[in-house]
Amino acid sequence: MAHTNTIRFGLAVVACGALAASIEAQQPPAAQQPPAAPPPITMKQLKPDVWAGLGGAGGNSTIIIGKTGVIVVDAKQTEPGAKDLLAEIAKITPKPVTTAIITHSDGDHVNGLVAFPAGIKIIAHEGNKKEQEAALAAGGRGAPPADKLPNQVVTKNKETMTIDGVKLELYHFAPAHTSGDLIVYLPDQKIVSMGDLVVTNRADDNPNIHFEKNGSTEGWLANVKGMIGLNADTYVTGHGDLLKKADLQRKLDATTARRNKIVAMVKEGKTLDEIKTALPDAPAPGAPARGAGAPAGGGGGGRGGPAPLTFVESAYQEITKGAKK
Ligand SMILES: [Zn+2]
């Protein structure tokens, strides 16, 4: 009897083990589970035919309704995120999306193009296209959709065009966030879409410069000055809330002051470490202070590899590059 019980117990253990193994096989590890639904997009009407699609999966988008179709500035990061955006657009107009304008090459503004209709016009700066081609060649999860590369490239610092009855001015004042930044200005509606040149989830004096994409802190100042010079009253950020011209001026003043301090310290012969200690990055608005669990940098691609340069590091490289020759 005791013998039989032992065998039964043993079989039960084996059966339980097999059951547990099969449950494990059906449930992939956490890292492989499909991502949760993206956060909802907040649609804000800016003018009768212009909306902002804030948040969701990726950067902010601007939606411009033309005579027969829709122009979308920036495409979100993922297929589900872009589908959410297209669903929101379908709620405000039956017209199809016919044109995308992409402000820069970061995946959170580009990669949602995978869900956009085939054959649409995709406008971007030539530097953006080059960066996307490089990302595509490198492969990996962050690569843009191969069949949605820009098919109309901006090469000048200013191009004026009318698309589907909508007047647009596209500006590239200088490389800043990346080498291929493109600003979309609607002169009739007085709206500027800035991409990640200006965001509200970072401190005013800490703009996000992708030095590895040939971005430039000096170029950033030129871009913000240029955008302030436009006759506009609403500025769509790359991440966060809408801004007014006074907000851009405040950010320009704060960043100019911080960069001037870096220039002065380089002239005094200070090392990069000394400058970084003297001018630490302020935390993002609403974020916990440094050392309290705030991630360093922030807003980057998060694709592994070396940490991207900070604002101070980028500015230091630019300033000393000229001096060391
Ligand atoms: Zn972004």
Side-chain angles (χ1 to χ4, degrees):
M1 196 66 189
H3 181 71
T4 312
N5 276 348
T6 307
I7 290 171
R8 277 200 193 135
F9 178 71
L11 284 174
V13 168
V14 170
C16 279
L19 184 62
S22 81
I23 289 170
E24 263 171 40
Q26 284 162 15
Q27 289 187 333
Q32 289 173 19
Q33 282 178 8
I41 294 167
T42 303
M43 296 290 284
K44 278 193 182 169
Q45 188 165 21
L46 308 180
K47 290 283 153 76
D49 288 329
V50 185
W51 295 67
L54 305 176
N60 294 333
S61 299
T62 308
I63 298 107
I64 308 144
I65 303 170
K67 278 187 189 146
T68 62
V70 178
I71 303 163
V72 179
V73 181
D74 285 351
K76 306 295 175 195
Q77 181 158 16
T78 62
E79 188 169 4
K83 282 182 174 167
D84 281 358
L85 177 66
L86 296 171
E88 290 296 333
I89 293 170
K91 288 181 198 168
I92 57 174
T93 176
K95 296 173 188 175
V97 172
T98 52
T99 304
I101 306 175
I102 305 297
T103 59
H104 63 287
S105 68
D106 288 352
D108 59 327
H109 301 255
V110 172
N111 292 357
L113 282 173
V114 69
F116 277 53
I120 63 168
K121 187 186 290 185
I122 301 172
I123 303 171
H125 186 263
E126 59 179 348
N128 178 337
K129 187 176 185 186
K130 279 183 195 149
E131 286 164 10
Q132 286 194 50
E133 285 167 344
L136 204 54
R141 277 179 16 164
D147 62 345
K148 296 279 174 51
L149 286 175
N151 51 31
Q152 183 176 328
V153 163
V154 173
T155 57
K156 302 193 195 93
N157 286 3
K158 176 183 178 182
E159 290 197 16
T160 301
M161 55 187 73
T162 301
I163 300 174
D164 203 15
V166 178
K167 269 197 264 176
L168 298 131
E169 294 178 14
L170 305 182
Y171 289 90
H172 172 85
F173 292 104
H177 177 60
T178 67
S179 78
D181 298 325
L182 195 63
I183 293 158
V184 181
Y185 172 50
L186 303 172
D188 290 343
Q189 294 89 348
K190 299 186 178 177
I191 293 168
V192 182
S193 297
M194 309 185 286
D196 284 359
L197 285 166
V198 178
V199 297
T200 64
N201 60 358
R202 296 174 65 99
D204 282 346
D205 65 356
N206 192 33
N208 188 3
I209 305 299
H210 288 315
F211 198 72
E212 78 284 5
K213 289 184 176 179
N214 296 306
S216 160
T217 65
E218 191 172 27
W220 186 89
L221 301 176
N223 274 275
V224 178
K225 279 178 200 160
M227 292 191 290
I228 288 171
L230 299 173
N231 180 17
D233 50 32
T234 303
Y235 292 82
V236 182
T237 60
H239 296 270
D241 297 329
L242 303 169
L243 292 178
K244 299 282 181 197
K245 191 171 287 200
D247 299 307
L248 268 67
Q249 188 65 52
R250 188 187 69 243
K251 284 174 175 286
L252 177 65
D253 292 347
T255 304
T256 301
R258 190 169 184 222
R259 194 177 187 282
N260 285 346
K261 284 182 198 161
I262 301 169
V263 172
M265 292 183 78
V266 169
K267 275 193 190 148
E268 291 164 15
K270 296 276 196 280
T271 67
L272 174 58
D273 279 343
E274 286 170 329
I275 299 172
K276 282 164 72 173
T277 303
L279 301 171
D281 290 348
R290 265 296 145 82
R303 260 167 237 154
L309 296 196
T310 64
F311 179 83
V312 170
E313 289 166 344
S314 298
Y316 182 87
Q317 294 292 335
E318 287 166 31
I319 294 159
T320 54
K321 192 173 56 186
K324 275 182 186 163
K325 271 180 194 164

